[in-house]
């Protein structure tokens, strides 16, 4: 259901259509607001739609309104970034959504994995979101994730903001994930990380100057 630039999401089918619409939109959804109207369970099925990819990132606004998207797996098979959202960029905003009970497995080398978003760059913002029970592992000895986070796999943009987010009970296979963290796997460049919490390591920073 849509009204002007506001598009309402209430089912797995709506999420899948959102992913295909972003892929078909030259602006990546910029100027559009996607509103989650209720909790959604993917019933432990694999999520492969990846809302936003490297060449067509998500650039719109997603407002979870305090709802939860849960019970899904991410299966990575190439060198891309994976999550409910794959790559988030431009002036995108993702806010007010919880991610629960997610498993992610890498069978080959993978760039970044996050329960909510694989990668943030540009001026993207993630605010008031959380991850609970996100587990990242590898299916074979060849499986390897360069970055893995309960909420976000990689932050790599001088305009990126991550605010008021947390993670609980999120775990990684350290032998299979190079840069890992409860909220963010790896931070290469960022504008601000504010009021974030993890019951494990919050994040790993490649740039030593960012660690303060």
């Amino acid at each position: 259901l849509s009204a002007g630039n506001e598009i309402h999401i209430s089912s797995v089918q709506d999420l899948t259509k959102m992913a295909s619409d972003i892929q078909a939109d030259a602006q990546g959804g910029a100027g559009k607001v996607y509103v989650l109207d209720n909790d959604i369970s993917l019933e432990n099925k694999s999520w492969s739609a990846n809302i936003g990819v490297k060449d067509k990132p998500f650039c719109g606004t997603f407002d979870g309104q305090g709802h939860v998207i849960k019970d899904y797996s991410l299966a990575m098979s190439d060198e891309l970034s994976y999550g409910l959202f794959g790559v988030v960029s431009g002036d995108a905003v993702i806010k007010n959504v919880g991610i629960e009970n997610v498993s992610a497995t890498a069978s080959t080398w993978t760039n970044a994995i996050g329960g909510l978003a694989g990668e943030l760059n540009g001026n993207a913002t993630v605010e008031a979101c959380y991850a609970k029970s996100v587990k990242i592992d590898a299916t074979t000895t060849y499986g390897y994730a360069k970055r893995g986070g309960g909420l976000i796999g990689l932050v790599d943009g001088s305009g990126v903001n991550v605010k008021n987010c947390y993670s609980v009970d999120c775990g990684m296979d350290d032998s299979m994930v190079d840069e890992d963290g409860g909220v963010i796997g790896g931070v290469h460049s960022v504008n601000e990380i504010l009021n974030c919490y993890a019951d494990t390591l919050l994040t790993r920073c490649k740039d030593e100057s960012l660690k303060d």
Side-chain angles (χ1 to χ4, degrees), residues 36 38-39 63-69 95-98 100 128 130:
L36 185 63
N38 48 259
D39 294 352
D63 184 356
Q65 296 196 113
H67 294 299
V68 176
I69 300 175
K95 59 184 180 179
N96 306 322
V97 65
E100 297 184 6
Y130 75 85

Side-chain angles (χ1 to χ4, degrees), residues 114-138:
L116 175 65
E119 178 181 346
L120 301 185
N121 54 50
N123 299 311
T125 294
V126 171
E127 182 173 8
C129 296
Y130 75 85
K132 180 179 180 181
S133 298
V134 176
K135 309 297 182 182
I136 298 176
D137 205 341

Side-chain angles (χ1 to χ4, degrees), residues 146-169:
K146 184 66 176 174
R147 299 106 187 167
L151 197 66
I152 303 161
L154 170 65
V155 167
D156 191 8
S158 59
V160 170
N161 299 283
V162 181
K163 302 183 288 186
N164 305 318
C165 295
Y166 71 91
S167 73
V168 292
D169 189 32

